[in-house]
Amino acid sequence: MEKKYKTAPFRCWDKAKTIRMNIYREIAEAKDKGRVLLGGGAESLIALPTGFDHNILVGEPYGASISYLYRENPDLYFQIVEAAEHAGYPRDLCAYMRNYLGSLILDKYIFGGHFPKLDFCLQSGFCDTHSKWYQIVSEIEKIPYFSLDLVPFDWEIAGESEKTKQLKRDYIVNQIHEAIVWMEKTTGRTFDDEKFIQGVINESESTSTWAKVCMLNRAIPAPLDEKTILSFYILAVLGRPRQDVVDFYRELLAETEERVENQIAANPYERARVITDSQPPWFALDFFRLLESYGVVSVGAHYSFGLSGGWEYDPEEKTWNAAKTPKERGVELKTRDDAARWLANWWLSTGTVCRGVRHSGAGKIQRVKDMVDKWHVDGVILHLNRGCEGTSLGQMDIVSSLLKDGIPTMTFEGNHADPREYDEKRTFARIESFMETMGLKQIYEFKK
Amino acid sequence: MIKDFVDIYEKRHEYAKAWKEKNPDKKVMGYMCSYFPEEIFYAGGILPVRILGSHQPQNVTEPYIFGMYCPFSRDVLAQGLLGRYDYIDAVGTAYPCMHLGQAFDSWTMHVTQKSFYIDMPNRVQSPLSLPFLTGRLEETKREVEEWIGREITHANLQDAIDIYNENRSLLRQIYMTRKADDVPLTGTECMYITAANLFMDKKDANALLKDTIANELTGRKVKSSDDTRLMIVGSENDDIGFMNMVEEFKAVIVMDDHCTGSRYFWNPVEPQENLIQAIAQRQIDRPICPQRDYPERRRLPYLLHLAQEWRVKGVIILQQKFCDPHELDKVAIVNWFKEHGIDTLYLELDITVPLGPFKIRVEALLETLREDDIW
């Protein structure tokens, strides 16, 4: 089969790589440069510490990076993961956490040198593991720990009352104020409200712009495939309140618009589109290449769209669009409290992954079906992720609901950050069978 | 009498159906987590009954729950899918954990549509959790009132609190008797009593508890000071077969920290003018679940206190397979007891209990503990 579409590499690709490496380098250098260094997770309020000159070692991507060692340095990978197990942490716990703890216990930072000495941990209890994860880190490191209780909104379909929503907003706002006082006391530094306000604005800008990029992927041919999406979404995960990340996403949006206009495809053979669910096995992204060889482009995932994206529900159209930033809404954030309120509401109303970890059911099904419809999806691939029960929540009900609607759907079992629980050959065989059921034949032979 | 509790535990559904027949204008609701504020529902004339598994192999949950979720959550959902709770009018939960939350979500989609969900905060160590939970429970009260079509008055709530507090006090009295050298009831019997309470109208339960304390437990001795005193720690546990197996040895389980055991009833609602806030305060102050035990580890000194007060020699940690919150406490608890000279045995539970292998491990623990006595 001949190529149907033009394709070209992203011009901003190298910039994304540079920002990512800069973030990890800055973490390693933070203490020498006199910056506050804290530990926490991606779904915490990472704009909250922006009132300090700081860096944050975000746990999940670090755990994912460790899993990639399995390909490049398997001896070190096994040393790390077995260190956590030797310390008694069961193998079925969050794989990110086990990788992170192993690295901490061994005192090996995989980007070079010792594990960075954190000043404190700041984490939210949005899933069952995260709060306990950083409790363990703070005990091992003998450092203070502040935990935020982020109780997400239910999905819109549940019809949660306005009073309940307001209680949730107020609960988070009050905790933000409490956390700021606690951080000032813990670090002995003064919290800069102006920097905080800018961090909150940047968080909204980054996540809203990322959602706009994702929406451009509705185009046929898709300008981005999921492997590329995962390379770009990570910047919001690592540092969405950073100015360089905001600037990057603006550049990416402009370039993606240009690709849509010029029909520059991620996959020159695009003839079918799928979406996935849950984090992929980070150490084994080749299954996306296998899909490509069938002319199939994976156009996104509830996970990568939602974790880095700010999405706003449109009750009339019953769909989600990129959430409006303070600037787009004409809102000026002037005080610490203004920023705290905006941040709390942004987290509660625009994050779809966190609410999917607490509430699955009909709401998550609605969102996945919305993606199938709006992104012109022909099939859905769900990763039954043994390493993250949070993102696996509701998956089986999603499968049966999609099948009921006649949407081709497949699952494969694996682990996003523990290669010992992923069977690549079996997964490939399942994908090949799935392609067959979708009536697709391989266009070219895929070689690893 | 204990036998009555055994009957009710084993015929829990018949009990609830009979209650409904006797109270045709009232409703029954199933709930999934011990943080569920039963008093608010009871005040509305509703019978809250706990949804527990049946410990029988099942093959109905595969299409609804990923196999990596804990066996308890799957067993709970199976009860609904198999129609065993077909008499309930609604299902409810306070936020339990992701796994049981999944069972709840699937239950509301496939079994019982009318549901009540309460955002139980996790950060109970912060004073900010009280106004949040109070507000959330006020909303729950409003939702219940809408459902039953009448107001729940202050007097209704006070009555419900009084009845539940009496129940808690009576159960606690029974647990106190287990401090004695010659305990008047086995851990198995105690589990029957506590677990049966989860399904009962607390008025009935209180009458039966009073009778049992006065006419059966007083002066009774079922185990002696020669028996090795043990405590069990974990999440949901009504594994009667396991308890029986342990106590067939010269051992007695004298205390537990389970959410179907002491954690369910240990602290009362303390009097205050705002009754909803009083209920919220109890939930926040109650013996803590690992899911909510951070940033400080308040659970460790509490568990040690129980072990010392009930003079236990060893602790069996009973862990639902794949249960993240309890697994995340495991290392800390094992190390903590070790530091304080108390041996532990860590066992993973599934829907059915592998009694043979567990028996060998329990026997080994008991031998170790007796050797400790000798040396």
Side-chain angles (χ1 to χ4, degrees):
Chain A
M1 181 189 266
E2 284 190 17
K3 291 180 181 178
K4 285 170 70 180
Y5 303 108
K6 298 176 277 190
T7 189
F10 269 90
R11 293 192 302 274
C12 61
W13 180 263
D14 288 341
K15 191 177 271 185
K17 296 281 174 192
T18 304
I19 293 172
R20 178 175 171 270
M21 280 320 293
N22 283 347
I23 289 172
Y24 280 114
R25 186 180 39 76
E26 285 175 23
I27 289 165
E29 295 169 355
K31 299 310 279 289
D32 293 339
K33 304 263 178 173
R35 293 192 292 265
V36 172
L37 180 61
L38 63 137
E43 273 300 297
S44 195
L45 299 180
I46 65 171
L48 176 51
T50 51
F52 299 110
D53 190 12
H54 81 291
N55 289 101
I56 176 165
L57 175 58
V58 179
E60 302 93 328
Y62 184 65
S65 299
I66 291 171
S67 78
Y68 196 78
L69 280 178
Y70 176 70
R71 291 177 74 135
E72 294 190 335
N73 188 349
D75 287 347
L76 179 58
Y77 167 74
F78 282 113
Q79 275 179 43
I80 288 174
V81 73
E82 285 170 9
E85 285 162 14
H86 181 72
Y89 297 101
R91 196 167 152 173
D92 56 276
L93 284 171
C94 167
Y96 284 156
M97 184 196 79
R98 286 185 290 115
N99 290 351
Y100 183 111
L101 289 182
S103 169
L104 175 66
I105 291 165
L106 286 182
D107 192 21
K108 281 188 179 166
Y109 187 50
I110 61 158
F111 298 105
H114 295 288
F115 195 94
K117 185 72 192 160
L118 306 171
D119 292 302
F120 63 88
C121 293
L122 179 74
Q123 176 54 43
S124 70
F126 84 102
C127 91
D128 292 352
T129 301
H130 276 75
S131 301
K132 303 294 279 187
W133 168 351
Y134 287 94
Q135 180 181 42
I136 293 165
V137 172
S138 71
E139 286 168 350
I140 293 172
E141 290 293 87
K142 297 183 174 50
I143 53 172
Y145 173 34
F146 192 94
S147 171
L148 292 138
D149 196 5
L150 303 187
V151 184
F153 284 169
D154 203 338
W155 293 95
E156 287 76 7
I157 200 172
E160 190 168 43
S161 74
E162 187 46 43
K163 188 183 170 192
T164 297
K165 286 183 176 176
Q166 193 54 45
L167 281 164
K168 291 179 179 181
R169 288 186 198 104
D170 291 344
Y171 186 35
I172 295 180
V173 168
N174 291 335
Q175 291 181 80
I176 289 172
H177 285 299
E178 189 190 12
I180 291 171
V181 173
W182 182 91
M183 288 190 294
E184 282 191 317
K185 199 173 157 195
T186 300
T187 61
R189 302 183 189 207
T190 305
F191 189 81
D192 184 328
D193 285 343
E194 281 186 21
K195 282 185 179 170
F196 173 54
I197 290 166
Q198 191 57 50
V200 170
I201 292 169
N202 284 355
E203 164 137 10
S204 302
E205 290 285 343
S206 295
T207 52
S208 175
T209 310
W210 175 247
K212 286 167 188 153
V213 171
C214 295
M215 288 177 74
L216 287 175
N217 224 30
R218 292 173 174 179
I220 297 174
L224 299 114
D225 66 338
E226 201 175 340
K227 270 193 91 193
T228 310
I229 288 170
L230 293 169
S231 298
F232 291 149
Y233 103 115
I234 194 64
L235 298 184
V237 175
L238 289 168
R240 51 194 174 270
R242 293 167 61 110
Q243 191 59 49
D244 55 355
V245 172
V246 176
D247 295 342
F248 172 80
Y249 280 127
R250 285 180 183 148
E251 190 178 330
L252 174 65
L253 180 65
E255 193 177 342
T256 310
E257 280 167 346
E258 196 183 305
R259 287 170 78 95
V260 171
E261 205 173 305
N262 296 304
Q263 289 223 310
I264 297 174
N267 181 347
Y269 299 102
E270 178 179 328
R271 59 176 171 171
R273 299 153 71 95
V274 296
I275 53 169
T276 68
D277 188 53
S278 188
Q279 303 94 319
W282 290 108
F283 46 86
L285 298 178
D286 293 326
F287 74 91
F288 290 119
R289 297 280 181 235
L290 176 64
L291 289 171
E292 282 170 19
S293 71
Y294 283 86
V296 173
V297 58
S298 182
V299 295
H302 170 246
Y303 166 74
S304 54
F305 282 14
L307 194 70
S308 293
W311 297 91
E312 210 160 65
Y313 188 67
D314 176 347
E316 308 250 314
E317 298 294 323
K318 295 188 172 45
T319 188
W320 284 262
N321 298 310
K324 289 191 172 67
T325 61
K327 194 176 167 190
E328 287 167 332
R329 286 216 175 276
V331 173
E332 195 182 349
L333 306 179
K334 292 178 184 164
T335 65
R336 179 188 292 186
D337 191 58
D338 288 348
R341 288 192 183 280
W342 181 273
L343 181 61
N345 193 55
W346 188 264
W347 189 89
L348 283 164
S349 56
T350 75
T352 57
V353 167
C354 42
R355 74 175 62 172
V357 168
R358 188 66 64 97
H359 303 282
S360 56
K364 191 171 170 187
I365 291 171
Q366 187 195 1
R367 175 55 174 155
V368 171
K369 285 188 178 173
D370 181 55
M371 288 179 66
V372 168
D373 180 32
K374 301 288 188 309
W375 274 261
H376 316 292
V377 167
D378 304 292
V380 180
I381 299 175
L382 295 99
H383 176 204
L384 300 177
N385 184 352
R386 295 175 66 87
C388 178
E389 288 110 303
T391 55
S392 307
L393 201 75
Q395 282 186 319
M396 300 310 288
D397 276 324
I398 292 171
V399 171
S400 46
S401 186
L402 291 171
L403 290 174
K404 213 169 162 184
D405 286 4
I407 299 159
T409 302
M410 68 158 276
T411 62
F412 69 92
E413 196 161 323
N415 189 310
H416 62 307
D418 188 340
R420 297 168 302 175
E421 293 198 323
Y422 176 66
D423 184 338
E424 189 168 68
K425 279 191 179 157
R426 192 159 164 249
T427 305
F428 278 26
R430 287 178 74 92
I431 289 174
E432 281 161 358
S433 302
F434 186 55
M435 296 294 101
E436 211 172 297
T437 61
M438 288 175 72
L440 297 166
K441 287 208 166 72
Q442 202 164 27
I443 296 167
Y444 57 88
E445 194 185 347
F446 165 69
K447 282 184 188 161
K448 273 193 71 169
Chain B
M1 295 302 189
I2 294 171
K3 186 183 162 303
D4 297 311
F5 286 110
V6 174
D7 282 349
I8 290 167
Y9 171 80
E10 286 175 353
K11 295 174 187 159
R12 65 193 73 164
H13 303 302
E14 287 84 340
Y15 172 86
K17 285 173 188 169
W19 185 93
K20 212 170 172 181
E21 266 185 35
K22 266 193 281 178
N23 301 279
D25 54 334
K26 292 185 176 178
K27 297 178 192 293
V28 177
M29 77 169 306
Y31 70 94
M32 291 192 183
C33 173
S34 61
Y35 277 93
F36 193 70
E38 287 179 68
E39 294 94 332
I40 295 173
F41 291 82
Y42 194 77
I46 299 155
L47 175 66
V49 296
R50 179 77 194 253
I51 300 173
L52 291 180
S54 67
H55 300 285
Q56 293 163 332
Q58 51 82 21
N59 61 358
V60 294
T61 56
E62 288 280 309
Y64 307 102
I65 296 192
F66 174 32
M68 189 66 183
Y69 279 60
C70 82
F72 179 74
S73 62
R74 283 181 275 131
D75 200 7
V76 160
L77 179 60
Q79 304 313 302
L81 295 170
L82 292 166
R84 290 179 181 154
Y85 280 84
D86 58 359
Y87 50 86
I88 62 173
D89 301 289
V91 63
T93 196
Y95 177 65
C97 58
M98 293 187 301
H99 293 198
L100 207 47
Q102 165 74 83
F104 176 76
D105 277 352
S106 287
W107 189 298
T108 59
M109 288 176 72
H110 307 292
V111 186
T112 313
Q113 288 193 341
K114 181 66 192 170
S115 64
F116 292 88
Y117 180 88
I118 292 140
D119 297 283
M120 177 68 208
N122 277 354
R123 200 169 164 242
V124 293
Q125 293 183 10
S126 162
L128 297 174
S129 61
L130 180 63
F132 174 72
L133 183 58
T134 304
R136 201 54 199 85
L137 294 186
E138 281 164 357
E139 272 295 274
T140 301
K141 177 173 170 282
R142 184 190 58 75
E143 289 164 13
V144 176
E145 287 171 336
E146 262 178 32
W147 186 41
I148 60 175
R150 71 172 172 85
E151 188 196 350
I152 296 172
T153 65
H154 188 87
N156 295 150
L157 263 182
Q158 188 61 63
D159 283 350
I161 289 170
D162 290 345
I163 290 165
Y164 269 76
N165 271 354
E166 184 179 23
N167 184 256
R168 291 169 183 132
S169 164
L170 291 165
L171 285 169
R172 200 163 161 151
Q173 269 185 53
I174 290 178
Y175 270 58
M176 290 298 171
T177 66
R178 303 164 82 194
K179 284 186 174 179
D181 282 341
D182 302 321
V183 293
L185 76 170
T186 63
T188 312
E189 289 172 326
C190 194
M191 181 176 278
Y192 271 123
I193 293 173
T194 317
N197 262 267
L198 301 171
F199 309 116
M200 293 178 75
D201 183 327
K202 296 294 189 275
K203 274 187 197 162
D204 295 349
N206 292 350
L208 200 49
L209 285 168
K210 282 181 203 163
D211 185 32
T212 306
I213 292 167
N215 301 317
E216 188 169 14
L217 296 184
T218 308
R220 188 175 187 248
K221 290 177 186 174
V222 293
K223 288 277 188 177
S224 75
S225 53
D226 292 343
D227 290 285
T228 304
R229 299 170 70 86
L230 298 171
M231 178 162 89
I232 50 172
V233 170
S235 53
E236 302 83 2
N237 178 21
D238 63 332
D239 292 270
I240 299 287
F242 175 81
M243 302 289 283
N244 258 325
M245 178 272 285
V246 174
E247 293 187 318
E248 278 170 7
F249 292 109
K250 278 200 71 62
V252 58
I253 294 164
V254 294
M255 193 46 186
D256 73 71
D257 179 65
H258 283 276
C259 60
T260 43
S262 70
R263 286 209 299 274
Y264 171 65
F265 64 82
W266 206 243
N267 62 328
V269 175
E270 300 289 352
Q272 55 175 289
E273 181 53 30
N274 181 339
L275 297 182
I276 293 291
Q277 185 169 299
I279 292 167
Q281 187 73 62
R282 186 193 99 82
Q283 304 288 43
I284 283 164
D285 292 343
R286 58 166 269 188
I288 204 160
C289 156
Q291 168 83 338
R292 297 179 165 89
D293 193 28
Y294 54 79
E296 280 177 47
R297 285 197 188 271
R298 296 185 179 169
R299 206 170 160 231
L300 298 183
Y302 174 72
L303 291 178
L304 183 64
H305 161 76
L306 293 183
Q308 288 170 339
E309 283 287 305
W310 271 260
R311 296 176 292 124
V312 305
K313 288 280 182 197
V315 174
I316 302 177
I317 301 167
L318 289 164
Q319 151 90 47
Q320 293 285 339
K321 193 172 182 174
F322 303 140
C323 169
D324 294 343
H326 282 269
E327 284 182 342
L328 287 157
D329 262 13
K330 176 206 157 192
V331 174
I333 289 179
V334 170
N335 291 342
W336 173 258
F337 277 125
K338 196 174 175 186
E339 281 167 28
H340 290 85
I342 296 173
D343 286 331
T344 55
L345 172 64
Y346 178 77
L347 297 173
E348 266 191 351
L349 296 175
D350 210 319
I351 287 178
T352 56
V353 177
L355 284 177
F358 278 9
K359 192 170 184 175
I360 294 166
R361 295 181 65 185
V362 169
E363 193 170 16
L365 170 73
L366 293 170
E367 278 179 19
T368 309
L369 295 174
R370 284 181 199 123
E371 276 179 19
D372 287 350
D373 281 349
I374 294 166
W375 301 109

